[in-house]
Amino acid sequence: MSWAEHLAQLDFFVKSPVLLGHAALPQMRARRYGRIIQIDSEVAHRPPPGRTSRTP
């Protein structure tokens, strides 16, 4: 995995929940209630072959 690909994955997995929270927050505030539950992927902990940032 190239450094650019690694950064793209990091960008996606960090930005996605933040952007979702920003989109949901106004309605949650208006209702004075809400919950955000983030579930990540096991792939982040055990990537499939060829999808790791470590070099052999």
Side-chain angles (χ1 to χ4, degrees):
M1 184 174 213
S2 72
W3 183 245
E5 290 172 319
H6 179 72
L7 290 177
Q9 288 291 309
L10 181 62
D11 188 51
F12 174 79
F13 284 110
V14 172
K15 274 188 178 176
S16 294
V18 172
L19 293 174
L20 178 62
H22 280 271
L25 193 59
Q27 290 183 6
M28 291 169 62
R29 282 186 175 153
R31 294 179 182 154
R32 299 178 54 99
Y33 180 82
R35 300 287 186 268
I36 296 176
I37 300 170
Q38 180 179 338
I39 301 172
D40 70 11
S41 173
E42 185 177 303
V43 173
H45 302 288
R46 292 189 298 153
R51 295 297 297 176
T52 179
S53 58
R54 288 186 264 161
T55 55

